[in-house]
Amino acid sequence: MPFADRLNNVETSAIRELFKLLGKPGIISFAGGFPDSALFDVDGIREAVNAALSEEPGATLQYGATEGHPPLREQLAAFMASKGVRGLAANDLIVTTGSQQALDLLGKTLVSPGDKVIVEGPTFLATIQCFRLYGADLVTVPVDGQGAQTDRLEQLIAEHKPKFVYLIPTFGNPSGAMMSLERRKAVLRMAVKHGTLIVEDDPYGDLYFGDAPPPSLLALADEVPGARDVLVHCGSLSKVLSPGLRVGWMVGPAELLAKATMCKQFSDAHTSTFAQATAAQYLKAGRMPATLSRVRRVYAERAATMTTALRRELGDAIDFVAPQGGLFVWAWLTGAGGKVADGAVFAKKAIEQGVAFVPGAPFFANDPVHATLRLSFATAPLDKIEEGIQRLGKAL
Amino acid sequence: MPFADRLNNVETSAIRELFKLLGKPGIISFAGGFPDSALFDVDGIREAVNAALSEEPGATLQYGATEGHPPLREQLAAFMASKGVRGLAANDLIVTTGSQQALDLLGKTLVSPGDKVIVEGPTFLATIQCFRLYGADLVTVPVDGQGAQTDRLEQLIAEHKPKFVYLIPTFGNPSGAMMSLERRKAVLRMAVKHGTLIVEDDPYGDLYFGDAPPPSLLALADEVPGARDVLVHCGSLSKVLSPGLRVGWMVGPAELLAKATMCKQFSDAHTSTFAQATAAQYLKAGRMPATLSRVRRVYAERAATMTTALRRELGDAIDFVAPQGGLFVWAWLTGAGGKVADGAVFAKKAIEQGVAFVPGAPFFANDPVHATLRLSFATAPLDKIEEGIQRLGKAL
């Protein structure tokens, strides 16, 4: 069967092959990218959906506006206000089917084949494939413990004049890095100076362990005149409430939101009103702050357990920056003492020892760093984290 | 802001402008394309979502497989079996975010810019725009009271060698036409003969008023050797259960479903598991047959009321084939007695009289027939249908 040319731009993922091995009995998995189901506020969601079906059954089950269910847009604007974003009206955001759809709509709306897009190295795997399906030519800006390197970013912007720059500034998948306040301001200033659109993807920003991270680019944008006109912000309830709802949102310039809405109409008409009305009721009920503090506490404890065990069991054969939030430890194999220094080779040895993680190379759009790996601490209980890291030590 | 070139292929809809006028107080609307909210089985859906949250809270709220929630795929395969489709396994279909997403995935997976796609004239408006966004060059096959004209279709297939042919054989939007059994078999034979992929979109087939329509192309495919290899079938719960769930599905050759699944991963990761688990519980509870007979009875009565009133109030100035199912009357202005013969002009006069419908011209990808119009009988109660058609008579 002759498929569209655009499919030649993407390849089936090496990670997918790895995931087939995860069914092995007794495997401890640090490979996932999802939150812990045991932390979902099932009672809160049950109350929310029942309230929606009682108070507004028609709107909950009928077709809805492509831009989103109005009560949810109101609640999301208020949620963003609680996170330091000033002056955001319900009409300044559209609801998307998870933030994955926001990425898809950005590709559909903005990218012509051959257009340059700058992403972080490493970045979210599904972003790479999503933009490439629209023909994007990806350019990589390196990330360190302070997030994307902004000096290098400005050089790349000047050189490539990209359609946009895609960043996950706070606890990104897979890097876990937290961009510093200084770099955030630098990004906004260079966006205005070069007239370059910045896409801030922020699914993890609420999952901090100690002090809150610096404000999002969106919250900081008021400090840099003109920044709001060149900034898109993607949010999601997937990591903090439930991925199964598939509720995300996108804030951006009105002209861009209008085009994205038109494209969304032909992508899926609108996001499930059943899920949207449920999310709106949940937010309205005021349960989010308690949910957030519970998940922060649990993930913080798991992250601390994992990083302590990694240092103890793998010593100088591994290097990483302890995450201050999110779901991931991003690490480098140093090769010290002649130990394995390739993430993919290590992943295979680890599976043999009954523990799984994801090698880091596929997360690079260009010039993969083969020594890297991503470990999720989100879904394993503390004793399994200890045991899994011991197995990793043996595998090394 | 510089947008992607593909946006130049679509235009904002003339219908959208009309919809802005619908807020006028006292308007009776036959303009919508949606089912009646008052017919939704709210109690059944409430029971279903509560069962899902009690029996499988993790799977209902967590990320799920891109192909779909396994229990829903099982239930949908059984639902298709109840409609005469033999030998369909759960793995032979994928779940989509409404059938609109099935169309989007077909465009993404199959259409390179400049590829020919044959659609019916008239056809579903969002199909036209959806395929054009991927660069499809649309060719139109005319429709009459027996559905798409198959002699003409075979000529067009031979001439244009299209990537695929998109048909709504049963009570299509907007034509309401029901393709005859003979033409259905002819479509399958020519698909095999020319090796041409046929896409059967079937959101309305369950909404018949008297006898059941001929079997779907999918149900008939066993009679034509090789037909299953060149046939895609799109289904939806939107018209029979609830559009707000956004649950559709797609049956097709394994190779195509695999590519569509890959594309879906980057479109929205997966369809809301919250909605999918609810739909699965609903189907499992066995409530669908009663729901279907209720909506069939109500829509049949409304359709009969509308067609009787149209004949009485508009006489020989209008022509139509009385629908045997679905949500729509598709009609032609004859211009008899020097009356208005342009659907768009008539729509404006009608709004002034307090009644709305959609002119038919935008439903044609090529060579619009300006005398046409689409009237939905789905959402107005019988007395409003009578009154609305009387107003139409005055407007004419």
Side-chain angles (χ1 to χ4, degrees):
Chain A
M1 192 175 293
F3 293 105
D5 298 337
R6 69 180 66 80
L7 300 199
N8 299 332
N9 302 337
V10 295
E11 48 205 26
T12 38
S13 145
I15 292 180
R16 196 167 266 244
E17 296 305 304
L18 183 75
F19 269 70
K20 288 181 186 158
L21 302 172
L22 291 186
K24 241 179 91 172
I27 286 269
I28 295 174
S29 177
F30 304 134
F34 38 90
D36 188 350
S37 309
L39 299 177
F40 294 153
D41 179 8
V42 181
D43 290 339
I45 292 170
R46 184 186 289 113
E47 278 179 28
V49 69
N50 282 294
L53 286 170
S54 299
E55 293 172 23
E56 41 171 3
T60 300
L61 299 175
Q62 186 57 280
Y63 284 109
T66 302
E67 294 86 344
H69 184 55
L72 179 60
R73 296 172 85 191
E74 293 284 350
Q75 289 295 331
L76 291 174
F79 184 50
M80 295 305 290
S82 77
K83 299 198 279 178
V85 178
R86 283 177 296 274
L88 194 74
N91 285 343
D92 296 332
L93 61 86
I94 64 171
V95 177
T96 58
T97 304
S99 60
Q100 183 66 45
Q101 191 188 43
L103 305 184
D104 184 61
L105 294 175
L106 288 167
K108 208 170 189 178
T109 308
L110 292 168
V111 178
S112 292
D115 280 350
K116 297 284 176 71
V117 173
I118 298 179
V119 300
E120 291 164 300
T123 192
F124 179 43
L125 197 58
T127 301
I128 297 175
Q129 309 276 42
C130 174
F131 294 161
R132 280 192 175 148
L133 263 179
Y134 290 104
D137 182 6
L138 300 182
V139 175
T140 292
V141 58
V143 170
D144 60 29
Q146 305 281 302
Q149 294 173 7
T150 40
D151 289 351
R152 185 76 188 116
L153 178 60
E154 186 152 20
Q155 290 166 359
L156 291 170
I157 288 173
E159 181 183 345
H160 294 286
K161 308 201 184 336
K163 214 59 182 282
F164 58 86
V165 176
Y166 172 83
L167 302 173
I168 317 177
T170 313
F171 317 135
N173 178 1
S175 77
M178 186 179 81
M179 184 181 262
S180 65
L181 181 62
E182 289 64 34
R183 286 195 182 174
R184 287 172 197 244
K185 290 181 180 171
V187 166
L188 292 171
R189 282 192 302 265
M190 78 180 71
V192 172
K193 177 178 160 194
H194 295 273
T196 300
L197 191 70
I198 305 288
V199 175
E200 173 179 51
D201 194 3
D202 190 28
Y204 304 101
D206 291 312
L207 298 179
Y208 51 86
F209 302 153
D211 294 336
S216 65
L217 295 178
L218 182 62
L220 287 171
D222 287 346
E223 298 182 19
V224 180
R228 280 291 281 274
D229 300 333
V230 287
L231 185 62
V232 171
H233 177 100
C234 305
S236 171
L237 295 179
S238 294
K239 305 305 188 292
V240 294
L241 181 60
S242 152
L245 295 175
R246 308 307 301 128
V247 170
W249 62 96
M250 179 159 63
V251 180
E255 189 191 11
L256 174 60
L257 291 189
K259 297 289 188 191
T261 300
M262 185 194 71
C263 285
K264 180 171 167 61
Q265 202 186 340
F266 310 126
S267 289
D268 66 0
H270 61 84
T271 296
S272 168
T273 42
F274 183 63
Q276 288 189 75
T278 299
Q281 291 282 355
Y282 188 90
L283 290 166
K284 189 175 125 191
R287 299 182 76 125
M288 192 58 108
T291 298
L292 284 176
S293 49
R294 190 175 67 253
V295 298
R296 281 172 193 148
R297 195 176 58 241
V298 173
Y299 290 143
E301 201 176 8
R302 291 177 184 173
T305 300
M306 180 176 275
T307 52
T308 304
L310 277 172
R311 287 208 178 88
R312 187 181 64 234
E313 303 290 332
L314 284 82
D316 63 357
I318 199 163
D319 197 8
F320 58 88
V321 177
Q324 299 176 59
L327 307 176
F328 305 110
V329 173
W330 176 250
W332 297 257
L333 297 170
T334 62
K339 299 261 174 65
V340 180
D342 182 291
V345 174
F346 187 32
K348 276 179 201 149
K349 288 178 179 281
I351 287 274
E352 288 164 18
Q353 291 295 330
V355 58
F357 63 84
V358 176
F363 293 97
F364 293 84
N366 317 92
D367 307 319
V369 179
H370 293 281
T372 55
L373 50 113
R374 186 192 79 177
L375 299 156
S376 166
F377 47 78
T379 51
L382 299 182
D383 59 333
K384 291 288 178 190
I385 292 177
E386 288 283 2
E387 191 181 335
I389 300 297
Q390 282 169 22
R391 292 181 189 178
L392 269 193
K394 274 184 217 149
L396 199 72
Chain B
M1 191 175 293
F3 293 105
D5 298 337
R6 69 180 64 81
L7 299 200
N8 300 332
N9 302 338
V10 295
E11 47 205 25
T12 38
S13 146
I15 292 180
R16 196 167 267 245
E17 296 304 305
L18 183 74
F19 269 70
K20 288 181 185 158
L21 302 173
L22 291 185
K24 241 179 92 173
I27 287 267
I28 295 174
S29 177
F30 304 135
F34 39 90
D36 188 350
S37 309
L39 299 177
F40 295 153
D41 180 7
V42 180
D43 290 340
I45 292 170
R46 183 187 289 115
E47 278 180 27
V49 69
N50 282 294
L53 287 169
S54 299
E55 293 171 22
E56 40 170 3
T60 300
L61 299 176
Q62 186 56 280
Y63 285 109
T66 303
E67 293 87 345
H69 184 55
L72 179 60
R73 297 171 85 191
E74 293 285 350
Q75 289 296 330
L76 290 173
F79 184 50
M80 296 304 290
S82 77
K83 299 199 280 178
V85 178
R86 284 177 295 275
L88 195 73
N91 285 344
D92 296 331
L93 61 87
I94 64 172
V95 177
T96 58
T97 305
S99 60
Q100 183 66 45
Q101 190 188 45
L103 306 184
D104 184 62
L105 293 174
L106 288 167
K108 208 170 189 176
T109 307
L110 291 168
V111 178
S112 293
D115 280 350
K116 296 284 175 70
V117 173
I118 298 179
V119 299
E120 291 164 301
T123 192
F124 179 43
L125 197 59
T127 301
I128 297 174
Q129 309 276 42
C130 174
F131 294 161
R132 280 192 175 148
L133 263 180
Y134 290 104
D137 183 5
L138 300 182
V139 175
T140 292
V141 58
V143 170
D144 60 30
Q146 304 281 301
Q149 293 173 7
T150 40
D151 290 350
R152 184 75 189 117
L153 178 59
E154 185 151 21
Q155 291 166 0
L156 291 170
I157 287 173
E159 181 183 345
H160 294 286
K161 308 200 183 339
K163 214 60 182 280
F164 58 87
V165 176
Y166 171 84
L167 302 173
I168 317 177
T170 313
F171 317 136
N173 178 359
S175 77
M178 187 178 80
M179 184 180 262
S180 65
L181 182 61
E182 290 64 34
R183 285 193 182 176
R184 287 172 196 244
K185 290 181 180 171
V187 166
L188 292 171
R189 282 193 302 267
M190 78 181 71
V192 172
K193 178 179 159 193
H194 296 272
T196 300
L197 191 70
I198 305 289
V199 175
E200 173 180 50
D201 194 3
D202 189 28
Y204 304 101
D206 292 312
L207 299 179
Y208 51 85
F209 302 152
D211 294 336
S216 63
L217 295 177
L218 182 62
L220 287 170
D222 287 345
E223 298 182 19
V224 180
R228 280 291 283 274
D229 300 332
V230 288
L231 184 62
V232 171
H233 177 99
C234 305
S236 171
L237 295 180
S238 294
K239 304 305 188 292
V240 294
L241 181 60
S242 153
L245 295 175
R246 308 307 301 127
V247 170
W249 62 97
M250 178 159 66
V251 180
E255 189 191 11
L256 174 59
L257 291 189
K259 297 289 188 192
T261 300
M262 185 193 71
C263 285
K264 180 171 166 61
Q265 203 186 340
F266 311 127
S267 289
D268 66 359
H270 60 85
T271 296
S272 167
T273 43
F274 184 63
Q276 287 189 77
T278 299
Q281 291 282 353
Y282 188 90
L283 290 165
K284 189 175 124 192
R287 301 182 76 124
M288 192 58 107
T291 297
L292 284 176
S293 51
R294 190 175 65 254
V295 298
R296 280 173 193 147
R297 195 175 57 242
V298 173
Y299 291 143
E301 202 176 9
R302 291 178 184 173
T305 301
M306 180 176 275
T307 52
T308 304
L310 276 172
R311 287 208 178 88
R312 187 182 61 234
E313 302 291 333
L314 283 83
D316 62 357
I318 199 163
D319 198 8
F320 58 88
V321 177
Q324 299 176 59
L327 307 177
F328 305 110
V329 173
W330 176 249
W332 297 258
L333 298 170
T334 63
K339 299 261 173 66
V340 179
D342 182 292
V345 173
F346 187 32
K348 276 181 198 146
K349 288 177 178 284
I351 288 274
E352 287 163 19
Q353 292 294 331
V355 57
F357 63 84
V358 177
F363 294 97
F364 293 84
N366 317 91
D367 307 321
V369 179
H370 293 281
T372 55
L373 50 112
R374 187 193 77 177
L375 298 156
S376 166
F377 48 79
T379 51
L382 299 182
D383 58 332
K384 291 289 176 189
I385 293 177
E386 289 282 2
E387 189 180 338
I389 300 297
Q390 283 169 23
R391 292 182 190 179
L392 268 193
K394 274 184 218 151
L396 201 70

